[in-house]
Amino acid sequence: LKMRRISAVVRCSRCSYNFYAQNTTYGFDSLFSLRMIDSNKYTGRKKKRFSTQSLPKLDWSGAEKHIGHIDYTDFLIHRGKCSEHLNNPLSLDSKHESDSKHGTSDDLQRQFPTEKYETCPIAKNELQDFVGKQFSIPESVLNYERQMKKFRAEGRVGKEISREQLMVVYIDDHIVVADKPPGVLCAPGIRRHPSIADVVYDAFGCESDRVDKMIVHRLDMDTSGIVVFARTQLALINLHKFFREREVTKTYEALVCGELTPETGEVNYPLQRDHCLPPFMRVSTPESEEDAARVVCDLQHAGYKKIMQKAPKPCKTQFKVISIGVFGDSPITRVALTPITGRTHQLRVHCASLGHPIIGDQSYGFLGEGAPNGGLEDSVINEIAPNRATLSLQRDIDALVRKEGTQLCLHAKQLFIPHPVTNKPMMFESSPPF
């Protein structure tokens, strides 16, 4: 038995319960494991050692260019659908289970009455702009919108496309480069929803005869654009290496609310998992770090705790204004986005943190499911971005998005990557659907 006066976290090996002690004498034996901490402050957050400054600049001047869609008839194989789940009645069972878990639209209406929402000043077009002042949307309105958007998302997950709808930019014996439409999953996921990976596998096949052995990287369901799939094991290994070691360059094109200034710039905000609104992301601030540390201490679910323990990751996005236009009567900006790092929802959170959320973003846009302004306070946004898209402007654009059914205006336009077998630099490009 040892005695020591310390500040520490003591974790019981029997019940996995964490005890926090500050400047207290503890006796501990083999029943306890002890972890030291610095500055008498426990954060429970794993540190990430990575610097974006160390990334080499890649030269793609001699890249072989492939722009637009091609005829891939000669590469098609003739067989039935690759995934049984596409015609499996279990897919319907999963939907019913989801409905029983999250509730139907009638259940949501009873839980969040529409009458209450309609009496909100925002719903009655009485939203005012407070320049230089802090303004927060009522939490009841945000909760209502979050629940309704979750229900709508459940209904549209798993949009299926056919071979005839598949758009291919490039194909050879080792890789397939497809142009994914918005609203389609890149990979089936644990619920085996229909995805573009299924269609690519069904159309062209692969060496391993497994659809999961074709997946190299992913785009969000609502994001459209260039996606690469591997057809051989060698291609899969090398493509994973290229993405892991950041030997690729990606350029996205987006429409954002308002007039973005300056014309070129860089966003360098670290991102963390939002402890208040999981699984969404947010900009990391000292205050959010302290709150997240307390959440980690209290969490009992091992899976959630592992996710929330991850420290904020450095993120860097470069942007360049392409043009200024209008959406309805509202000013918008077409912008090119180059992610130097590749974090979850990085581009969407960074645009929201600039005060110019991406049009059609149901997570980080107006009344989105995630934290407003990417997690930054309104007072901070007004100070660092005085020309931000005002709340009334975002409201008008959101109303038109709902009316016209506009998808998320974010498109993976260009991908520069070496060929996984020949190592020849290649560039793939497709035009955005907006």
Side-chain angles (χ1 to χ4, degrees), residues 66 169-170 175 177 226 413-415 417 426-429:
H66 298 272
V169 177
Y170 177 84
I175 61 173
V177 182
I226 299 293
K413 184 176 182 178
Q414 288 182 336
L415 176 65
I417 189 170
M426 306 189 76
M427 186 275 282
F428 307 106
E429 179 179 326

Side-chain angles (χ1 to χ4, degrees), residues 21 77 135 148 169 234 280 292 310 316 334 348 381 408:
I77 59 177
F135 177 81
M148 293 304 298
V169 177
L234 177 61
F280 299 103
K310 294 181 180 179
K316 182 183 291 187
R334 185 176 293 270
R348 298 162 69 177
I381 288 287
L408 175 69

Side-chain angles (χ1 to χ4, degrees), residues 72 75-77 166 168 171 176 199-206 231:
Y72 51 84
F75 287 88
L76 287 174
I77 59 177
L166 181 63
V168 175
I171 183 172
V176 179
V199 181
V200 171
Y201 173 77
D202 177 46
F204 309 115
C206 66
R231 298 186 69 191

Side-chain angles (χ1 to χ4, degrees), residues 95-334:
K95 184 179 185 302
H96 293 322
E97 291 175 4
S98 175
D99 289 344
S100 62
K101 179 179 179 181
H102 298 286
T104 62
S105 58
D106 294 335
D107 296 333
L108 290 175
Q109 289 291 348
R110 286 192 293 269
Q111 186 178 359
F112 299 94
T114 306
E115 294 78 8
K116 181 178 179 180
Y117 174 66
E118 290 177 346
T119 59
C120 172
I122 299 175
K124 285 194 171 185
N125 298 326
E126 296 179 2
L127 181 63
Q128 299 179 3
D129 298 326
F130 292 80
V131 180
K133 298 181 181 180
Q134 185 173 354
F135 177 81
S136 58
I137 298 174
E139 192 65 26
S140 59
V141 176
L142 290 175
N143 286 336
Y144 174 87
E145 283 296 322
R146 286 166 186 154
Q147 292 295 330
M148 293 304 298
K149 286 179 179 179
K150 285 179 183 178
F151 173 75
R152 288 192 290 265
E154 283 288 337
R156 61 190 176 88
V157 164
K159 176 182 175 182
E160 186 177 351
I161 62 173
S162 62
R163 282 189 182 188
E164 291 73 21
Q165 296 172 306
L166 181 63
M167 298 175 289
V168 175
V169 177
Y170 177 84
I171 183 172
D172 62 21
D173 292 335
H174 301 281
I175 61 173
V176 179
V177 182
D179 184 5
K180 186 184 85 69
V184 177
L185 292 172
C186 266
I190 58 175
R191 292 194 177 185
R192 305 301 300 170
H193 290 298
S195 68
I196 190 173
D198 292 317
V199 181
V200 171
Y201 173 77
D202 177 46
F204 309 115
C206 66
E207 183 181 70
S208 62
D209 202 30
R210 288 176 52 183
V211 64
D212 60 307
K213 293 296 184 180
M214 300 185 72
I215 300 171
V216 178
H217 67 121
R218 307 184 187 210
L219 297 176
D220 292 339
M221 182 183 73
D222 293 325
T223 303
S224 59
I226 299 293
V227 185
V228 181
F229 296 95
R231 298 186 69 191
T232 63
Q233 185 66 20
L234 177 61
L236 181 69
I237 293 173
N238 288 336
L239 288 172
H240 278 162
K241 174 180 175 292
F242 294 153
F243 278 90
R244 182 173 62 251
E245 298 181 1
R246 293 180 171 83
E247 297 179 11
V248 302
T249 300
K250 295 175 284 186
T251 301
Y252 291 73
E253 192 166 305
L255 296 179
V256 299
C257 301
E259 296 185 13
L260 178 61
T261 56
E263 292 188 356
T264 60
E266 186 176 272
V267 187
N268 201 6
Y269 291 143
L271 300 185
Q272 68 178 99
R273 189 72 63 175
D274 196 329
H275 55 281
C276 294
L277 300 169
F280 299 103
M281 306 296 289
R282 60 158 293 152
V283 172
S284 175
T285 64
E287 294 79 11
S288 67
E289 271 289 272
E290 293 179 1
D291 292 341
R294 288 191 288 269
V295 170
V296 168
C297 291
D298 297 335
L299 280 176
Q300 299 298 321
H301 191 283
Y304 292 148
K305 192 160 191 170
K306 182 178 180 180
I307 294 175
M308 299 306 299
Q309 272 185 329
K310 294 181 180 179
K313 296 181 180 180
C315 299
K316 182 183 291 187
T317 302
Q318 297 173 347
F319 67 87
K320 182 179 180 180
V321 172
I322 299 175
S323 62
I324 304 295
V326 293
F327 186 70
D329 296 326
S330 304
I332 61 172
T333 303
R334 185 176 293 270

